[in-house]
Amino acid sequence: MRIGIDARFYGTLGKGLGRYTQQLITHLEKMDTENTYFIFLRSENFDVYNPQNPNFHKVLADVPWYSWKEQLLFPRILLKYRCDVVHFTHFNVPLFYTRSFVLTVHDLILFHFPTIRSTTRSVLGYWMKYLMYRIILWSALSRARRIITVSQYTRDDISSNFHIEKEKMIVTYQAATDIREKGNVENTKYDPRPFVSEYGILSKYFLYVGNAYPHKNLERLLEAFQRINDTQIILVLVGKKDYFYERLQRYVERRSIQRVIFTGEVSDGDLECLYRGAMAYVFPSLYEGFGLPPFEAMALGTPVVAASRAALPEVLGSAALYFDPEDIEDMTKKLVLLSGDEKLRADLVEKGYRRVKEFSWTRLAQDTQEVYQSV
C-alpha cells in the first residue's frame, strides 16, 4: 500500500502538531516494513527529517499552510505519488483533493474561540479567514474515510457540533514527548538550580510552558498569582516571543504584577531543567484537545495543577490538582495549597510517573497504521 503523510508541520516548526507528526512517523518507521510511505515536507523542515526505513521517502511540498497554494497546488503534488491513502495530520485538507484520506483533528479551538483577540489581522480579514476555516473543516470531516482524534473529549466535541457519527472516529492518545537529556528521570539525580539561575530564577517558582493565545487563560493566572502573599515565589512563563507574549508583558506592566519572568523560547535541555526545578507546573487553559505540556511535566517529575476543563481531566486523570479556570479565587487557593504542601507535591509526582506510562507513541502508531489498513 502507498501511504502519504502530510508532514509539513513536522518538528519544532509546527509546535504541538509538529511533535505529533514527528513522533508518529518515527514510530511507524520502526514497525512498518511492508507499506511504502511518502512524507511531504516544506523546505524549512525538509532537512530535519532523514528516513531510517528504506520504505519511507521524503518529498518536497513547499506549500504554505492555510494558503491558496495549499488549495490549488498541493493536490497536484499528492496525486503525482498515487497514494492509496493520505493522512492529513491537521484539518487543512485541500478542497480539491478527491482521493481517499484520513484526518487527525486535535481540537476545535478555533470553532469555540472565534475571537479577534486571537489574531493580528484586521477584523474583516479575520472573519473571512474564520469562514474559510469553517468551510474547510466541515469539508474535511465530511469527506474523510476515517477521523483520528487525540481524546474522547475531542471526538464527542466533533460529533455534537458537526453531527459526525462516532463510529467514523477513532481515539489515539498522544504520549509524553521525550525531551530528557540526562537519562531516566526517576533514577537520575542532579541539581537544576545552576541552570535555572541563568534565567534570573533564584527562588521557588511555578512554571507555565506554551503559547499565550487568549484561550490559554494566562491573564487570569497572573491575577491569581498576584494574590499569593508569599513574595518568595516566582511565576515563570516559557514561550516564543510573539505578538501575544508581548501583549501579555504589557498587561503585566500595566497591572504592576511583580515576580514574573518571561524566558522566551528555550532549548530542550534548558526546558528540562526548568521543568525539574519547578515547584509545580500550572496549566490554566480553557480548552485543550489533549494537553502535552502537563504530560511532559509529569514525565520529568514535576507536580501539575491544571484547569478542570475540556480533555484535561480525561488525560491527566487523578495525577493533577484541578481548579476552575474561570474562578481566580479557586486558582489562587490551589496554587497556595500546592506551594505549602510538600507531601501533596510528592504524591502528585508519583501519580504523574504512573500516569504517563499508560500512554505510548508506539501504541498511537499501531492504531494509526490499523486505520490506514481499514480504509
Side-chain angles (χ1 to χ4, degrees):
M1 185 163 63
R2 297 167 68 88
I3 300 167
I5 298 179
D6 180 6
R8 290 174 298 148
F9 288 98
Y10 185 96
T12 57
L13 179 69
K15 300 181 182 178
L17 289 172
R19 289 193 174 186
Y20 165 83
T21 305
Q22 183 172 5
Q23 292 292 335
L24 170 64
I25 293 171
T26 296
H27 288 82
L28 284 173
E29 281 197 23
K30 295 177 181 178
M31 58 187 291
D32 195 343
T33 58
E34 297 180 2
N35 296 304
T36 300
Y37 288 80
F38 299 94
I39 311 301
F40 298 93
L41 300 148
R42 294 182 64 178
S43 59
E44 292 92 334
N45 57 10
F46 190 79
D47 293 331
V48 175
Y49 170 61
N50 295 294
Q52 303 300 307
N53 182 327
N55 288 1
F56 283 68
H57 311 278
K58 60 180 184 178
V59 179
L60 181 62
D62 201 14
V63 179
W65 315 311
Y66 320 127
S67 67
W68 66 267
K69 288 184 177 181
E70 180 177 70
Q71 294 300 317
L72 299 179
L73 301 183
F74 195 33
R76 293 170 58 186
I77 298 172
L78 295 172
L79 289 171
K80 180 180 177 182
Y81 290 87
R82 306 186 310 280
C83 297
D84 298 300
V85 60
V86 171
H87 181 182
F88 292 95
T89 56
H90 195 33
F91 73 85
N92 52 324
V93 180
L95 294 170
F96 298 109
Y97 186 73
T98 57
R99 299 199 64 175
S100 178
F101 69 86
V102 301
L103 169 70
T104 296
V105 179
H106 298 262
D107 54 60
L108 296 181
I109 288 173
L110 289 178
F111 178 82
H112 291 291
F113 293 87
T115 169
I116 196 66
R117 293 185 66 219
S118 299
T119 184
T120 59
R121 294 171 177 264
S122 67
V123 174
L124 178 60
Y126 174 77
W127 287 110
M128 289 182 64
K129 180 181 177 181
Y130 178 70
L131 176 61
M132 284 304 300
Y133 158 75
R134 293 287 296 263
I135 292 171
I136 291 171
L137 176 59
W138 170 245
S139 172
L141 291 171
S142 302
R143 295 185 295 123
R145 293 288 301 278
R146 296 293 295 276
I147 298 167
I148 297 169
T149 69
V150 296
S151 64
Q152 297 284 352
Y153 178 87
T154 299
R155 187 182 72 163
D156 294 343
D157 204 13
I158 293 170
S159 179
S160 61
N161 285 289
F162 290 91
H163 308 292
I164 303 295
E165 58 274 17
K166 290 185 179 180
E167 292 73 20
K168 186 178 179 178
M169 295 182 274
I170 180 173
V171 176
T172 61
Y173 289 108
Q174 299 178 81
T177 305
D178 192 355
I179 64 169
R180 296 172 293 180
E181 292 192 344
K182 298 177 175 62
N184 184 281
V185 118
E186 294 181 62
N187 297 327
T188 301
K189 302 296 183 183
Y190 81 104
D191 187 357
R193 285 176 295 182
F195 303 95
V196 169
S197 63
E198 293 180 7
Y199 292 95
I201 305 168
L202 303 176
S203 61
K204 55 187 178 180
Y205 62 95
F206 290 114
L207 176 69
Y208 168 82
V209 177
N211 61 56
Y213 296 152
H215 75 273
K216 294 298 185 179
N217 201 31
L218 296 183
E219 290 181 2
R220 285 197 182 96
L221 172 59
L222 289 164
E223 292 295 327
F225 177 73
Q226 191 177 32
R227 298 184 182 189
I228 297 176
N229 293 324
D230 188 342
T231 58
Q232 298 302 309
I233 299 176
I234 295 171
L235 175 62
V236 178
L237 304 175
V238 179
K240 183 178 181 180
K241 187 175 181 179
D242 59 10
Y243 170 83
F244 300 99
Y245 260 115
E246 288 175 354
R247 187 173 62 183
L248 193 67
Q249 284 182 279
R250 291 194 296 270
Y251 179 85
V252 168
E253 293 167 2
R254 190 168 62 251
R255 300 295 295 267
S256 299
I257 300 174
Q258 305 298 313
R259 298 173 286 116
V260 179
I261 293 178
F262 294 86
T263 68
E265 191 173 23
V266 304
S267 69
D268 279 353
D270 284 357
L271 182 58
E272 177 191 355
C273 293
L274 288 167
Y275 271 126
R276 290 203 194 194
M279 183 168 53
Y281 176 80
V282 188
F283 203 55
S285 181
L286 296 170
Y287 185 101
E288 294 293 324
F290 185 85
L292 274 177
F295 236 50
E296 289 181 344
M298 287 179 176
L300 291 169
T302 306
V304 171
V305 54
S308 57
R309 287 290 178 86
L312 292 177
E314 173 190 347
V315 171
L316 304 179
S318 62
L321 179 67
Y322 295 101
F323 54 75
D324 180 345
E326 295 186 279
D327 186 337
I328 294 174
E329 184 177 344
D330 185 42
M331 198 184 305
T332 304
K333 179 180 177 182
K334 297 301 169 55
L335 292 175
V336 171
L337 172 64
L338 198 58
S339 67
D341 194 330
E342 187 174 345
K343 184 177 182 300
L344 174 60
R345 294 199 302 273
D347 182 56
L348 289 174
V349 168
E350 186 60 36
K351 288 181 178 178
Y353 282 140
R354 293 199 299 267
R355 184 63 174 173
V356 296
K357 289 178 181 177
E358 297 176 21
F359 296 79
S360 162
W361 287 114
T362 298
R363 189 179 311 124
L364 178 144
Q366 290 171 341
D367 292 342
T368 303
Q369 185 189 31
E370 291 177 7
V371 172
Y372 299 157
Q373 295 293 146
S374 73
V375 301

